[in-house]
Amino acid sequence: MATRETTPGAILPPPRMTTGKVGWIRNNLFSSPSNGATTIIVAALTLYLLWLFVDWAFGTADWSVIPTLGGTLVLGQYNSDSVCPSNDCFWRPQASLLIAMTYFGILWAVAATTLVRGVALTTAFVAAAMALLPLPFDEMGMDVRLLLVANIPAVFLGRWLGRNTPVGSTRNLIIIAFVGFITVYFLLRGIEGVPGLYPVPSRFWGGLMLNILLAAGGITASLPIGIMLALGRRSNLPVVKMLCIGFIEFFRGVPLITLLFMSQTLVPLAFPRDFPLDEVTRAGIVITMFSAAYMAENIRGGLQALHRGQTEAARALGLPPWNTTTFITLPQALRNVVPAIVGQYISLYKDTTLVFIIGMLDILHMGSSFIGSNREFLPHSRELFLFIALVFWVFNYGMSYVSRRVERNLGVGER
Amino acid sequence: MTNGDASDNGVEDIIIARDVHKWFGSFHALRGVSTTVKRAEKVVILGPSGSGKSTFIRTINRLEEHQRGEIIVDGITLSNDVRNIDAIRREVGMVFQQFNLFPHLTVKDNITLAPMKVRHIPRAEAEDTAMGLLERVGIPEQAEKYPAELSGGQQQRVAIARALAMQPRIMLFDEPTSALDPEMIKDVLDVMTELAQSGMTMLIVTHEVGFAREVADRVIMFDEGMIAEEAPPNEFFINPKSDRAKLFLSQILH
Amino acid sequence: MADQPRGILTYQGIPVWRHAVLIQWALQIISAIAVVTLVVWFFSNVAFAINDRDIPFGWNFFGRSYGTPVPEHALPFNDSTDSYAYALLVAAVNTIILAVAGVILAIIVGTLIGIARLSPNWLLSRLSLVYVEFFRNVPLLVQLLFIFYFILVLPPITETYNLFDVLYINNAGIAMPQPTLSSGIAPGLGWVAAAGAGVFLGYTVYKLRNRREIVTGAVSYPLLTGIGTAVGIAAVAWVAIWAMAGDTPLGLSIPAPDDRFGRIEDGLRVRSGAIVMLVGLVMYTAAFIAEIVRAGIQSVSRGQTEAALAVGLKPVGVLRNVTFPQALRVIIPPLISQCLNLTKNSSLAPAVGFADLTNVGITMTQTAPAINIFLVIMLAYLAMSLAWSAVGNFYNWRTRIVGT
């Protein structure tokens, strides 16, 4: 009784209205009257806001505030006349960056994951791209630019080292990281009497460099501390467990800013007056501890989500508890919480801006003190802070983008 | 209580499908399916996975939208008219492979939710009906439990009771026993057999050949989005006409 | 182990260094001693340094009068007579008000954006994605400073933006109309009481009708009649009191510029610091809440929606009876932790000059011992954190799914 309009069984292309550009627009923008109305209203609103923004950004806005600040946004007063009289200290942070890049290269060769490769290459190329900034040469000399470009060879040098020399073993990586941090510390702080290493006290470390230094220290140290806290909290030793719970809940329960204040008022009292624990290090330790407490909770979540069978199988095979943890449960748990760990790294990097409130010379301090002392730039503070926002956004969005790619590759999100 | 002949629109052909087409993106999933189901008829749909059999029964209550052709259920044409879609969904009950019980509601609340919200039936009456249905599917003692506390077979029987509570004229079964342990399958098939004997119109996607032989009035075999063969069960299982059906039967009957 | 020598270093026939229970105990005791030593060392050093270096310390300052203004104060505050302790309380109330207002608004904005993320409309869903990706990847402090300078660059009070003579926006903040008890306390409070009773009655009507609808199945529009009852009673009371007292029960204080001093008088005047904090916290936290809401709704499997449609529920009913109750279970725990984060993030107020607990505390350190003040502040924040955790635990306890 059915009237056949088509040959039964023929493979036909879908109706024109459901595929292709037209079909896509119909399905996603005008699938129903209410959907169509939404599209029109939202589009109108978006275009209006976009127009307002473009009109401001290319019309009234004056972006000259950013080149005027120039290097001080990046290094703070590190290379200024009062801190480094001969103005030749700029190469030291740059050399530190090269060391970090070489290390990233080694990691890339060893870990061979999208995450590490993405981080290594992106950082190197972004740093190198800075060399092309259209600043006059008396503000950003050829030497500075060349050192920036050198980041690309540095990353590949590291990769070569990682592949062809034994630096890539876990033990060597830890040793190199340790040596690297100490080298960078003395490179930045300088050594009295050594030519070219004019001492720069840590309170003059500033600008984006300070944010990155605090973040780098925190990122390196908060993961192992977080793992220990997480394991401690799951331990069956009541004393250890209580201590870890107390630590985690205390650091998660109070705002970071109050901890930072305590690090500047209470903590120094516990040490002798001449103890070499400067403000920057203290702030770094507090930020790391704060982040480690959150990290511990993320990792604990990963451990809890693991099936009991994993531990039981490992124990049944005769693996001692410590090996069960390091080779069976922890790797799986960490892999499952990669997105949470990266999220915590992003938080940590964002939190480094809080040192501004306790008077350190980070990028926000450089920006707002400049506006404060040059009132003619006050109307253009929006441009400056939008720029600073973008600096953080690029880094953080990049990290979360790469971590989502990793998540997809590992199939973590499919469970 | 849920007999199809209790009241009707006087239509003998309760489901009419004419040249139904469905695409997923550019994949042609249903390629011109035409068939008619009579009132109180039991139709078993067989076919290899990916042949479009589930997609077809899901178009009948608009869980999937067909893009060409015509579907008429109990005299109501399935179109973009929301009123028609609502009306058809009230007429058609459905049982899923994965049960899809609502985990946050008790068994009884799972069954009474739709009658109370959609048909505005008083609670006492809805609960009476629910208890009656639970007795009919053999698990009245589980009424106050939550789905997660039940075995798979019990969950599926609750799902059947939930669908029956709306007093549908047609029941669709989408592989109702595929997710069950072997010893639970029989309980569910027993309920379905009893339902078939009560005169319900049923469309059943299943791999249970024994059940098909016993209950079905007609077997439809799907392949590659088309109806490959359509015949009474005895004819189909003993003397299939198409090569495709012969191959398929040799695979499932061992 | 029969050949094992029995001696002093064995317990139950096992050498102590191999005895599972003893090893555990030894580890515990060692770690406890290590921590106790560390803590004692730390605080004895601190105590010694406080004496040795003449660091101010002590709790006497609490009762002294503070003598410094607190710019925003919801509680009455007299800076020449009120004490440090009371000033801290005033500041804590400011923090709580900011946190509660922020949480409410952030949940509303975040939920809307989260639902928009799942909209079938591509443009809307992309736009909310852009919002989320921008706001959660930029440090909150940068956002706060951006808004702070944005407001700072607005015209001064003398050239204030003026919307219909009721709303004034300038670089000092916002001034808006505010209801007042200008026509006397009795009529005002009387109307508020009547309106409150109306809301209660309306809610009762809603409950009763809802129950009757469930029992009898008759459609009676419980929500509409409930709201109608509440609004009706409030309106009747308004007219009645107006007729009796000869004046409206509540007055309206409308802000107006005072031309002589270049100030704005009357109305509700919110200083820029509070606006910066509220707007910044809400926009930032909403981005996180949007992701939580999206993930929660997506966590409800497609089969649930299909089953609900198949039994005949309409799309709104599916959302209300099936999707939402299940999504809520996934949403609430991370949502609570966002509320906690917002509360803690309100401590960034010193950067923009809002008088919250941290900001007042920092100001106090110039005239009182810093260590004591920060100890008190940390305890206050810990208490607020515990309060949020309690809310979360209560919810978890209320809504366990049986059997899972």
Side-chain angles (χ1 to χ4, degrees), chain B residues 101-135:
Chain B
L101 293 180
F102 307 131
H104 61 301
L105 301 177
T106 62
V107 164
K108 193 161 76 183
D109 290 341
N110 259 281
I111 300 173
T112 54
L113 177 70
M116 283 166 54
K117 297 288 173 196
V118 181
R119 293 212 193 274
H120 297 290
I121 291 171
R123 169 146 66 188
E125 194 185 324
E127 286 183 350
D128 280 351
T129 316
M131 289 313 294
L133 286 167
L134 281 174
E135 249 165 69

Side-chain angles (χ1 to χ4, degrees), chain C residues 81-324:
Chain C
T81 55
D82 284 327
S83 68
Y84 276 81
Y86 183 69
L88 278 174
L89 178 71
V90 169
V93 169
N94 283 346
T95 289
I96 291 170
I97 291 175
L98 175 64
V100 170
V103 161
I104 293 171
L105 289 174
I107 288 177
I108 295 172
V109 177
T111 308
L112 290 179
I113 293 172
I115 292 173
R117 273 282 268 125
L118 296 170
S119 159
N121 188 297
W122 180 86
L123 194 61
L124 192 58
S125 115
R126 280 285 124 167
L127 213 59
S128 38
L129 177 68
V130 169
Y131 177 94
V132 168
E133 290 296 359
F134 182 79
F135 281 94
R136 70 174 184 175
N137 282 321
V138 173
L140 174 59
L141 193 53
V142 177
Q143 298 183 31
L144 290 174
L145 287 176
F146 181 86
I147 307 170
F148 176 76
Y149 281 106
F150 192 95
I151 293 184
L152 207 60
V153 175
L154 291 178
I157 290 184
T158 45
E159 297 156 36
T160 179
Y161 290 126
N162 178 349
L163 296 175
F164 312 113
D165 280 338
V166 291
L167 196 67
Y168 296 88
I169 302 174
N170 51 57
N171 68 0
I174 292 181
M176 57 184 127
Q178 183 187 27
T180 58
L181 294 172
S182 61
S183 38
I185 289 177
L189 289 186
W191 181 77
V192 170
V199 169
F200 178 75
L201 254 168
Y203 181 71
T204 317
V205 166
Y206 166 77
K207 283 289 247 191
L208 284 176
R209 292 218 153 194
N210 214 359
R211 194 173 305 157
R212 205 185 66 187
E213 191 168 305
I214 287 170
V215 173
T216 64
V219 184
S220 57
Y221 305 105
L223 194 62
L224 270 179
T225 45
I227 293 174
T229 311
V231 172
I233 291 178
V236 168
W238 184 276
V239 174
I241 293 176
W242 194 349
M244 280 191 296
D247 197 0
T248 51
L250 290 182
L252 197 62
S253 166
I254 295 173
D258 176 339
D259 292 331
R260 218 147 50 96
F261 298 109
R263 287 190 310 189
I264 290 181
E265 301 283 358
D266 298 333
L268 179 64
R269 298 183 302 274
V270 186
R271 280 164 34 99
S272 63
I275 301 167
V276 175
M277 285 313 291
L278 191 64
V279 173
L281 285 173
V282 167
M283 306 245 277
Y284 182 75
T285 314
F288 290 89
I289 293 179
E291 276 302 278
I292 293 170
V293 169
R294 177 192 63 78
I297 293 178
Q298 279 184 338
S299 75
V300 181
S301 74
R302 230 186 109 64
Q304 290 292 312
T305 318
E306 288 184 350
L309 287 172
V311 291
L313 287 175
K314 294 182 183 145
V316 178
V318 174
L319 204 64
R320 189 172 144 192
N321 294 304
V322 177
T323 313
F324 219 65

Side-chain angles (χ1 to χ4, degrees), chain A residues 386-415:
Chain A
L386 193 63
F387 175 76
I388 295 177
L390 281 180
V391 168
F392 280 95
W393 183 83
V394 166
F395 184 87
N396 289 337
Y397 181 74
M399 281 229 285
S400 72
Y401 177 78
V402 175
S403 102
R404 260 174 292 160
R405 287 280 301 274
V406 175
E407 188 185 353
R408 210 177 305 152
N409 290 347
L410 291 172
V412 172
E414 286 159 27
R415 280 193 267 148

Side-chain angles (χ1 to χ4, degrees), chain A residues 61-373:
Chain A
D62 176 7
W63 299 92
S64 69
V65 61
I66 293 154
T68 311
L69 264 159
T72 51
L73 274 183
V74 182
L75 295 184
Q77 300 173 355
Y78 192 84
N79 204 28
S80 65
D81 298 330
S82 55
V83 176
C84 185
S86 47
N87 286 106
D88 60 354
C89 295
F90 61 88
W91 67 272
R92 284 148 57 177
Q94 289 197 298
S96 309
L97 186 61
L98 289 176
I99 293 176
M101 280 305 140
T102 316
Y103 192 73
F104 278 0
I106 300 176
L107 283 181
W108 172 17
V110 176
T113 63
T114 337
L115 179 68
V116 182
R117 190 187 65 194
V119 170
L121 284 182
T122 318
T123 345
F125 276 95
V126 167
M130 295 291 170
L132 301 174
L133 285 179
L135 289 172
F137 271 88
D138 55 332
E139 270 181 36
M140 191 178 183
M142 206 43 161
D143 37 7
V144 178
R145 291 172 199 258
L146 282 178
L147 280 170
L148 281 172
V149 173
N151 282 303
I152 295 177
V155 102
F156 283 99
L157 170 71
R159 183 161 174 245
W160 183 84
L161 285 174
R163 286 195 171 168
N164 299 304
T165 61
V167 295
S169 72
T170 313
R171 196 180 55 125
N172 286 345
L173 280 179
I174 294 171
I175 295 173
I176 295 173
F178 201 68
V179 174
F181 265 111
I182 292 175
T183 314
V184 167
Y185 180 76
F186 280 105
L187 204 58
L188 291 178
R189 210 185 65 130
I191 300 165
E192 193 79 56
V194 178
L197 288 177
Y198 187 83
V200 179
S202 65
R203 67 175 175 281
F204 292 114
W205 301 3
L208 188 61
M209 176 179 78
L210 178 63
N211 297 96
I212 292 178
L213 279 174
L214 290 170
I219 283 176
T220 321
S222 68
L223 185 62
I225 299 176
I227 290 174
M228 289 197 296
L229 286 171
L231 293 176
R233 189 165 187 174
R234 284 170 60 85
S235 153
N236 45 15
L237 306 175
V239 176
V240 176
K241 190 173 176 171
M242 289 311 293
L243 286 172
C244 289
I245 292 179
F247 182 96
I248 292 171
E249 293 305 330
F250 172 72
F251 275 92
R252 275 159 41 94
V254 295
L256 177 55
I257 188 69
T258 58
L259 290 169
L260 282 171
F261 267 103
M262 276 303 198
S263 80
Q264 306 305 312
T265 53
L266 183 71
V267 175
L269 300 183
F271 297 94
R273 257 180 231 260
D274 51 352
F275 193 80
L277 191 67
D278 53 61
E279 295 109 315
V280 171
T281 319
R282 288 200 304 264
I285 290 174
V286 164
I287 292 176
T288 307
M289 294 295 178
F290 184 76
S291 188
Y294 280 87
M295 198 65 91
E297 285 302 273
N298 289 336
I299 294 166
R300 190 168 72 104
L303 287 169
Q304 270 173 343
L306 273 192
H307 198 265
R308 253 191 88 77
Q310 292 293 319
T311 326
E312 285 169 358
R315 299 301 300 278
L317 284 171
L319 283 177
W322 184 246
N323 283 349
T324 308
T325 305
T326 42
F327 296 118
I328 310 294
T329 44
L330 202 53
Q332 295 189 51
L334 287 181
R335 204 194 67 167
N336 289 351
V337 293
V338 163
I341 292 177
V342 174
Q344 188 50 46
Y345 282 163
I346 292 175
S347 284
L348 189 150
Y349 185 42
K350 290 190 292 183
D351 283 343
T352 60
T353 53
L354 264 62
V355 297
F356 162 63
I357 299 182
I358 58 168
M360 290 188 184
L361 310 178
D362 82 323
I363 187 169
L364 286 185
H365 182 99
M366 299 323 294
S368 75
S369 69
F370 176 80
I371 298 282
S373 50

